[in-house]
Amino acid sequence: MECKQAVYSQDMQELFIQRVTPLEELRNTYGFDCIFPLNDQYAVAYVESRRVSSINGEFPSIYSAVPRCYAIMEDAGGGEVATSSNPVLEAMGIARLNRLPYLDLSGRGVMIGFIDTGIDYTHPVFRNSDGTSRIAAIWDQTVEDGVPPQGFVYGEEYTREELTQALMSENPQAVVPEQDENGHGTFVAGVAAGNNDRTSGFSGTAPFAEIVAVKLKPAKAYLKELFRIPQDAVCFQETDIAWGLQYLIDKAENARMPLIICMTLGTNSGGHSGRGILDSMLNYISGRNRMCVVASSGNESGYGLHYRSAGTGSEYEEVELRVGERERGFTMELWAESLNQYSISVVSPTGELIRRIPDRRNHSQNMNFLFEDTKIVLDYFMAEGRTGNQLILIRVTDPTAGIWRFQVYEDRTFSGGFDIWLPVHNFLTRDTYFLRADPYVTIADPGNASEPITVASYRTEDNSLALHSGRGFTRTGEAKPDVAAPGVTIYGPAAGGGFQTRSGGGAAAALTAGGCALFFEWAIVNGRQPQIRTQEMKRLMKGGAEREGLVQPSREWGYGRVNFYGVFEELRMVVGG
């Protein structure tokens, strides 16, 4: 089967493979149907679902190679209905910069890349004054019979010339049939880099930045089933996001432009230590000159989705989970340091007990209940492949509503305790949560990655933290988030035309990405610091943030509310010192 067919086939599964040997040798050794290089470190292999276990053994042995599932980082509102971008731009110090004519910053010469639900290229905020398109390119991964970008095997690429030709026609969709059905991608691209529109009271943060957008294809059905995610959930898989990252890098390098990558997706899958495959890719990109990665801290605090071990010292620690009436399935992931060892027994709401199942290396166990239809698969990982940490993956199907009790036994422990995460709230009903939840260590990946700039969200009306903004630190104690930006009832473009308000960590990350584009214009395009990268940008943002009354670093705010005028003030102090 050709790689292009394998990408879309629901009968083909995808695995990340490290490129430690030549690809052809890997293909012959493991019998992959298709293997395609992603970058210098990884390739993506495709294999028929019926052959996965015969090639790789039980699921626990390949967990680290399986793509994780990501959701858009959007949340409910919680503030006054916005009718202008001005309060947000004032709060971020952008408006003050705009009042300094000798700076004249608007993002010119800087590319901002988005990997999301697509972009409505017909919206006026993405057009130049002469009607041409401001969007340099769109890669739509959902188009199965399209012409892929050079170096890629699937999707359709639309260039600026094609987008402009469509805009000049009477029926743009007949020329370029590209849409953003969800609207999140259009919104975040707009608040980061949309045009100034005085009539509507809207302005993007960097209104002259170059825009490149990736429209992700939906995650395959087998992945949703594997992680017990509802089939109708808006969900994207890690392999497609990784391809999107490589596409953005290629576009920036070909255009010889500095690049800001805006990550507005997140997941609770993984150890929350910033060591996943996508995390490592973003860490590498963050270390490259002329590139900057901005990630959201997510919207997972306050939903009851994280449990942290209290260290009771008793025979076992009981974790109580309330499961809602409409819940059809979910996963739980227990993570602990590598030398620790835990095992689990389960008590259902009806009182039925599945006794403690010993932890054995890479062992999978099915739990079937006598008096209810619930099925649980328990996967033990003595040393998960990416981290070396212990992982217990609990996959639940058709759970009985009520209080479930998971009894976690300490078979061996040297340091710390354990953490358990449910999926992001987008993949659950609101009635499923831990009864004794911990609101901290709730930053969604890739916000736990060490090198990108991780952004929490707050309300500009009263400078209060957004209710569900992901809180740090990481599971291993690294200080995250880095800063906070406005993320509640943000005013921006709506797919299909007009404007709307949206909330969430994605909006906060997009606003911050636009601000970074302004600084990259000053530093790189104008030749003042031509080799700046994420670390220098992060250092200046932390130093220039507003943080009165905060203990630094804060688990909620990082080093404070980002202020891009303060970034220049901090630069002046650093240079002066």
Side-chain angles (χ1 to χ4, degrees):
M1 180 180 287
E2 294 183 1
C3 283
K4 185 173 183 178
Q5 293 175 290
V7 168
Y8 296 107
S9 173
Q10 293 295 333
D11 296 325
M12 301 292 288
Q13 295 192 21
E14 301 176 26
L15 299 171
F16 282 109
I17 304 295
Q18 285 192 288
R19 297 183 62 180
V20 292
T21 55
L23 295 185
E24 194 59 32
E25 182 178 335
L26 283 170
R27 180 171 184 167
N28 294 335
T29 300
Y30 294 100
F32 295 132
D33 295 88
C34 170
I35 186 167
F36 196 79
L38 174 62
N39 52 35
D40 292 338
Q41 292 180 295
Y42 296 101
V44 178
Y46 300 86
V47 59
E48 285 187 87
S49 297
R50 63 182 178 83
R51 298 178 55 238
V52 169
S53 59
S54 63
I55 290 176
N56 299 281
E58 294 293 328
F59 177 60
S61 68
I62 63 166
Y63 174 84
S64 60
V66 174
R68 295 186 288 176
C69 292
Y70 288 72
I72 58 175
M73 292 292 93
E74 186 169 51
D75 197 22
E80 300 298 325
V81 176
T83 57
S84 170
S85 302
N86 293 335
V88 168
L89 298 181
E90 288 286 354
M92 297 182 67
I94 302 294
R96 191 173 181 183
L97 287 179
N98 291 340
R99 290 193 286 268
L100 300 176
Y102 60 92
L103 285 180
D104 189 27
L105 299 178
S106 58
R108 289 182 181 87
V110 179
M111 181 178 292
I112 308 181
F114 304 90
I115 305 172
D116 210 288
T117 63
I119 188 169
D120 177 5
Y121 72 94
T122 66
H123 201 289
V125 300
F126 303 125
R127 302 190 195 191
N128 293 311
S129 58
D130 61 0
T132 58
S133 180
R134 283 191 49 226
I135 301 171
I138 302 172
W139 178 25
D140 187 341
Q141 297 181 349
T142 69
V143 181
E144 298 189 25
D145 57 352
V147 178
Q150 184 177 358
F152 297 82
V153 297
Y154 67 108
E156 176 84 50
E157 182 180 44
Y158 300 109
T159 65
R160 189 198 311 273
E161 292 72 24
E162 290 170 317
L163 297 172
T164 295
Q165 180 184 359
L167 292 175
M168 298 300 181
S169 69
E170 293 185 3
N171 183 4
Q173 288 296 322
V175 181
V176 174
E178 177 66 23
Q179 298 185 43
D180 176 7
E181 293 84 357
N182 179 281
H184 188 262
T186 297
F187 182 83
V188 295
V191 298
N195 294 339
N196 293 329
D197 187 337
R198 293 183 179 179
T199 303
S200 66
F202 172 78
S203 176
T205 312
F208 284 93
E210 197 93 334
I211 299 168
V212 176
V214 176
K215 180 178 180 178
L216 293 166
K217 69 177 182 63
K220 288 186 177 181
Y222 85 88
L223 270 180
K224 290 184 176 181
E225 181 180 349
L226 189 66
F227 291 107
R228 308 304 191 259
I229 297 169
Q231 288 296 328
D232 60 352
V234 178
C235 171
F236 307 105
Q237 62 191 61
E238 195 169 17
T239 44
D240 291 324
I241 300 169
W243 289 120
L245 285 174
Q246 193 58 48
Y247 174 77
L248 296 180
I249 292 171
D250 288 353
K251 300 306 290 187
E253 289 181 340
N254 290 338
R256 298 184 178 179
M257 297 178 72
L259 173 65
I260 312 293
I261 294 177
C262 180
M263 290 300 300
T264 54
L265 307 172
T267 183
N268 266 354
S269 184
H272 289 67
S273 60
R275 296 174 65 183
I277 289 177
L278 192 66
D279 305 328
S280 67
M281 290 182 64
L282 292 172
N283 283 337
Y284 172 75
I285 296 168
S286 297
R288 296 183 59 174
N289 293 338
R290 298 165 55 88
M291 293 188 182
C292 180
V293 179
V294 179
S296 166
S297 74
N299 314 297
E300 302 312 308
S301 182
Y303 285 107
L305 307 180
H306 170 237
Y307 181 92
R308 168 148 279 197
S309 169
T312 61
S314 57
E315 181 185 9
Y316 60 81
E317 186 167 341
E318 190 163 82
V319 180
E320 295 179 299
L321 175 70
R322 185 189 190 280
V323 175
E325 293 281 352
R326 297 177 294 109
E327 202 69 68
R328 298 276 60 85
F330 57 89
T331 57
M332 294 166 52
E333 295 189 13
L334 183 153
W335 288 82
E337 290 304 304
S338 57
L339 292 179
N340 295 343
Q341 190 170 330
Y342 294 93
S343 57
I344 290 179
S345 64
V346 182
V347 182
S348 75
T350 63
E352 188 171 350
L353 170 67
I354 300 292
R355 296 191 179 277
R356 176 184 182 184
I357 297 173
D359 181 2
R360 301 198 299 272
R361 181 179 179 84
N362 288 350
H363 174 67
S364 185
Q365 177 73 41
N366 292 313
M367 293 180 171
N368 296 307
F369 293 83
L370 184 62
F371 299 112
E372 44 204 317
D373 293 332
T374 303
K375 295 178 178 60
I376 297 178
V377 181
L378 200 65
D379 296 309
Y380 282 116
F381 302 71
M382 294 287 287
E384 187 271 331
R386 290 289 305 173
T387 63
N389 294 156
Q390 187 194 21
L391 164 63
I392 302 177
L393 177 63
I394 305 163
R395 294 180 283 158
V396 183
T397 305
D398 295 326
T400 300
I403 307 301
W404 286 79
R405 289 177 289 157
F406 295 85
Q407 298 168 342
V408 182
Y409 292 81
E410 289 185 1
D411 298 329
R412 183 180 67 182
T413 181
F414 286 85
S415 62
F418 62 85
D419 293 86
I420 307 177
W421 287 272
L422 289 161
V424 291
H425 75 275
N426 315 58
F427 299 157
L428 290 169
T429 69
R430 292 293 293 270
D431 298 325
T432 298
Y433 51 84
F434 293 115
L435 295 188
R436 290 178 287 119
D438 181 2
Y440 294 99
V441 201
T442 52
I443 294 175
D445 274 352
N448 293 293
S450 60
E451 302 304 317
I453 300 168
T454 303
V455 185
S457 55
Y458 75 93
R459 288 166 44 106
T460 55
E461 292 92 344
D462 55 8
N463 287 340
S464 62
L465 191 74
L467 177 62
H468 298 301
S469 179
R471 304 184 184 195
F473 295 142
T474 71
R475 180 174 61 86
T476 52
E478 183 173 353
K480 286 282 180 173
D482 297 301
V483 291
V488 179
T489 54
I490 304 302
Y491 187 63
F499 295 86
Q500 61 179 335
T501 57
R502 290 192 178 214
S503 298
L511 289 165
T512 304
C516 291
L518 299 183
F519 190 82
F520 266 42
E521 179 189 2
W522 178 88
I524 298 174
V525 178
N526 295 342
R528 294 181 174 94
Q529 291 188 18
Q531 300 303 317
I532 194 171
R533 53 186 176 174
T534 305
Q535 282 298 330
E536 290 89 346
M537 186 78 251
K538 187 195 307 187
R539 159 70 181 84
L540 293 171
M541 288 174 66
K542 287 179 177 179
E546 298 178 6
R547 51 181 168 269
E548 62 278 0
L550 293 180
V551 177
Q552 302 164 44
S554 162
R555 296 171 78 178
E556 298 88 356
W557 296 86
Y559 285 82
R561 300 188 303 275
V562 66
N563 184 306
F564 281 96
Y565 185 87
V567 166
F568 283 90
E569 289 287 303
E570 178 69 12
L571 180 65
R572 184 163 58 180
M573 291 179 62
V574 170
V575 173

